[in-house]
Amino acid sequence: MKKLFLVACTVLVAVLLQAEDGYRLWLRYDKIDDAALLQQYRNTISGIQLEPSSPTLSVARQELLNALQSLLDKQITSQQTITGNCIVAGTPSSSSIVKQFLSAGNFNLGKEGFVIRSTNIEGKKVTVIAAGSDIGVLYGVFTFLRLLQTHQHINDLSITSVPAIQNRILDHWDNLNRTIERGYAGISIWNWHTLPGYIDKRYIDYARANASIGINGSVLTNVNANALVLTKEYLLKVKALADVFRPYGIKVYLTAKFSAPIEIGGLKTADPLDTAVQNWWNEKCNEIYALIPDFGGFLIKANSEGQPGPQGYGRTHADGANMFADALAPHGGIVMWRAFVYDVRVQKTNEHFEEGKTHEHSATIASDDRFKQAYNEFKPLDGKFRKNVLIQVKNGPIDFQPREPFSPLFGAMPQTQLMMEFQLTQEYLGQATNLVFEAPLFKEVLVADTYTKGKGSTVAKVIDGSLNNNTVTGIAGVANIGNDIDWTGHPFAQSNWYAFGRLAWDHDLSAAQIADEWLRQTFSNNSAFLDPAKTIMLTSRETLVDYMTPLGLHHIMGTSHHYGPAPWVDNAGRADWNPVYYHKADSAGIGFDRTATGSNALSQYNPEVQKQWNNVNTCNEKYVLWFHHVPWDFKIQPGRTLWDELCYKYNTGVDSVRWMQAAWNGLATYIDQERFEDVRMLLGIQETEAVWWRNACLLYFQTFSKMPFPANYEKPDHDLEYYKALKFPLAPGIGGNM
Ligand code: GCV
């Protein structure tokens, strides 16, 4: 009896150990479940030769050994000489074989690139993973492991890979009190209280995950910044994280609060042209680099949403950014200066704006279309920034909406280095309860043509530096990571972290390829699972657009927490925080006229781009309400008025979520029950939310269109007043800058 109990306990423990809680992300390394392939892999790999002559090579070797042993379920030996089919990995200085291999070829691998090549040495099959740098070897190792995890053949490999963009960075909007602005996956993984003494295993797994997809930078703190992080006490904590990340090729960055010289430096001003202020930042940088020699630099939100900045002293963004650039330049650091500004008036340095609250100064705010304001402020400064400054531009002109046209700034500042800011955390995309794969959104922006230097001047070419010959390039993703066991709250939100890294490395990858490889590594290589799961992912963003903001609607979500629909809101502290400002619904129609008869925001684009959008009859319906105020009875499709089309889109969105639910339910047998159930329950919430969006928006817009819902669509189960009365004071994601 006792024995039986023990056996039962052992089985239970084994099952619990196998529990799929999502923590392992896409680095699961489970045994290859295809017998023939497993045999092939075992034949090709009997051992590895990787001299651990640096911390980076040491973690590369450990990753390779652990992963291979688990994937191939066999002991992998570490070889000094080639005694069997094996993997040889290293740099010219760590391996004579790699040295010979690289000198025989004409490789241009830069600082981070690598080669993976199948070859024969001394009659043995050898897979060479070679790079000019240690970090290149680690990237090569992760790429090789991806091939195994996605069941690719590895007998005839010839891969050369170099990142398209230099600085591939996650921006954490994490506060020092561990709340996360727009975070939906728990609290911050940075435990500032126990740092620097306690190194959480998560820090290492975070670094591994990032390195596996080529992310090489981490901004640890919220852009709504807290100057405290620049004090000695916190810099020691930052140093501890930097030390953990270094072997994985990840630099740390901090957000610099413009008023820090006053707040923690005891100065009376933060004027960027004041020598005492400049000296303070110079000294601060000296202090930081003495602790963290490879510190990446600063990310700065200035004169935006209450953050102080140079305009408070009558100076420009260039004056501000260049002050930081000069302090960082001797150490090799960069400044990422955000272009997310929509307030041309000068703000007091101590003024704090919080959306949803009324402010006494709001009446003085400039009334130009918010769409135009970043361009208005930054375009005149083109060419005025130092060489180590990147202007960080959000993908669209407003704020990470489900669909935006690309920001006109990408086509407007050829003499300035622009970097992309995407948002991985789903602030406006259903937060952590909606399954939305963002790669199609990222790709839509990257392939958009600015026409600045003729056809083919894509946004991707602007940010990879090839269009304007930039020397420094960058791309940032606002992280969706928290301390939830699966890191991102929704199991599928991991795919957005993954997609960001993969596209930052190679923006030519397709969304389909990224979905395919993520699913294979994260769930299963079984095509019966893959095909429907991929369709779910690839259609999910368009589905969300349909049930939230079809036809170019934007910014119609709940105030402040941004949860759920609230197109009726008209009393926020600033005109341009109100949904009514954006949809402009009235008895004549709906949409924001941004043509020459309206705000003329379209004029900020190249004439070729204007042509695509400035005629309501030819404008792609995906963007039509971004640029036109369209009559309700306008025939937008043969046989369908704008109103009918709006109803059609909202209903299609709901139907598509129901389709996702059904498709997912058919996949139960292919994956673990834990994650299957997680996603199933979340899709249930998503369906409820999609219905809520549809009903609330259509009922509200109907008060203007006065047109009936087309027959055979589901009728709303509540009236408009019910939806308007819903309140969510405790919705997640609204941490202050603490
Ligand atoms: C970090 C939007 C978000 C804010 C965010 C801001 C920004 O306004 O709602 O939470 O603040 O963008 O990107 O700076």
Side-chain angles (χ1 to χ4, degrees), residues 85-110:
N85 295 345
C86 68
I87 296 166
V88 174
T91 64
S93 42
S94 76
S95 158
S96 54
I97 292 177
V98 167
K99 187 172 181 183
Q100 230 178 343
F101 173 81
L102 286 180
S103 58
N106 188 14
F107 300 106
N108 194 358
L109 300 178

Side-chain angles (χ1 to χ4, degrees), residues 173 181-182 222-224 301 305 338 340 394 399-400 421 427-428 562:
W173 286 357
E181 183 149 354
R182 311 307 176 185
N222 191 353
V223 284
N224 289 332
K301 171 175 177 177
E305 297 186 332
R338 294 178 90 227
F340 178 67
K394 286 189 182 181
D399 194 11
F400 300 136
E421 181 174 330
E427 176 178 357
Y428 302 102
H562 298 171

Side-chain angles (χ1 to χ4, degrees), residues 255-371:
T255 45
K257 186 150 190 187
F258 201 83
S259 51
I262 303 171
E263 289 184 42
I264 59 169
L267 300 189
K268 294 234 156 23
T269 175
D271 183 349
L273 300 193
D274 184 296
T275 341
V277 174
Q278 292 168 352
N279 286 339
W280 190 86
W281 283 111
N282 292 344
E283 282 309 311
K284 188 48 73 183
C285 287
N286 293 341
E287 182 189 353
I288 294 174
Y289 280 92
L291 292 170
I292 309 165
D294 56 352
F295 180 68
F298 293 129
L299 168 65
I300 298 150
K301 171 175 177 177
N303 293 117
S304 166
E305 297 186 332
Q307 290 299 301
Q311 294 174 347
Y313 303 93
R315 315 296 185 196
T316 67
H317 286 291
D319 294 330
N322 290 343
M323 171 188 67
F324 288 100
D326 291 343
L328 288 161
H331 310 281
I334 59 168
V335 177
M336 295 170 286
W337 189 269
R338 294 178 90 227
F340 178 67
V341 295
Y342 55 101
D343 184 355
V344 288
R345 88 205 158 88
V346 171
Q347 291 172 358
K348 287 191 209 148
T349 51
N350 61 356
E351 198 172 9
H352 182 69
F353 281 82
E354 199 183 326
E355 187 194 310
K357 302 232 169 93
T358 309
H359 297 274
E360 50 180 324
H361 302 288
S362 53
T364 63
I365 281 167
S367 58
D368 204 357
D369 180 359
R370 174 168 160 188
F371 187 119

Side-chain angles (χ1 to χ4, degrees), residues 144-157:
F144 181 71
L145 293 174
R146 180 183 310 132
L147 298 177
L148 302 188
Q149 286 212 90
T150 56
H151 290 194
Q152 308 302 303
H153 291 287
I154 56 165
N155 281 335
D156 194 17
L157 295 175

Side-chain angles (χ1 to χ4, degrees), residues 604-641:
Q604 296 183 338
Y605 291 99
N606 181 285
E608 287 300 318
V609 181
Q610 292 181 36
K611 258 194 235 165
Q612 294 166 18
W613 292 325
N614 71 2
N615 181 342
V616 68
N617 294 302
T618 52
C619 178
N620 186 326
E621 74 167 37
K622 290 176 176 169
Y623 297 99
V624 74
L625 302 183
W626 269 100
F627 295 108
H628 300 276
H629 192 68
V630 185
W632 293 110
D633 59 359
F634 178 79
K635 283 272 165 19
I636 196 156
Q637 288 278 349
R640 248 191 240 150
T641 63

Side-chain angles (χ1 to χ4, degrees), residues 62-242:
Q62 206 48 52
E63 190 77 29
L64 196 55
L65 276 176
N66 291 349
L68 290 177
Q69 268 157 198
S70 175
L71 284 161
L72 308 190
D73 192 23
K74 78 169 200 180
Q75 192 62 36
I76 300 291
T77 57
S78 194
Q79 305 178 350
Q80 297 300 322
T81 53
I82 295 180
T83 53
N85 295 345
C86 68
I87 296 166
V88 174
T91 64
S93 42
S94 76
S95 158
S96 54
I97 292 177
V98 167
K99 187 172 181 183
Q100 230 178 343
F101 173 81
L102 286 180
S103 58
N106 188 14
F107 300 106
N108 194 358
L109 300 178
K111 287 186 188 154
E112 296 176 301
F114 59 85
V115 185
I116 305 179
R117 189 69 62 85
S118 306
T119 182
N120 269 293
I121 299 177
E122 296 162 16
K124 306 284 188 302
K125 276 188 183 169
V126 174
T127 308
V128 176
I129 303 178
S133 64
D134 295 348
I135 189 62
V137 177
L138 182 64
Y139 291 146
V141 162
F142 275 119
T143 301
F144 181 71
L145 293 174
R146 180 183 310 132
L147 298 177
L148 302 188
Q149 286 212 90
T150 56
H151 290 194
Q152 308 302 303
H153 291 287
I154 56 165
N155 281 335
D156 194 17
L157 295 175
S158 178
I159 298 172
T160 303
S161 188
V162 177
I165 298 170
Q166 294 158 7
N167 298 290
R168 307 174 297 278
I169 298 178
L170 279 187
D171 288 0
H172 289 262
W173 286 357
D174 293 17
N175 300 309
L176 297 184
N177 67 359
R178 297 189 75 183
T179 56
I180 305 178
E181 183 149 354
R182 311 307 176 185
Y184 311 101
I187 58 171
S188 172
I189 58 173
W190 319 134
N191 189 338
W192 295 105
H193 186 64
T194 56
L195 279 166
Y198 184 82
I199 299 301
D200 192 326
K201 177 175 177 293
R202 267 208 184 222
Y203 304 151
I204 300 163
D205 287 330
Y206 167 85
R208 282 178 58 233
N210 279 328
S212 77
I213 48 176
I215 289 172
N216 65 2
S218 175
V219 181
L220 302 176
T221 45
N222 191 353
V223 284
N224 289 332
N226 187 331
L228 215 57
V229 79
L230 298 174
T231 59
K232 182 75 187 241
E233 185 196 352
Y234 276 88
L235 289 176
L236 289 172
K237 297 169 191 280
V238 173
K239 171 187 159 42
L241 289 174

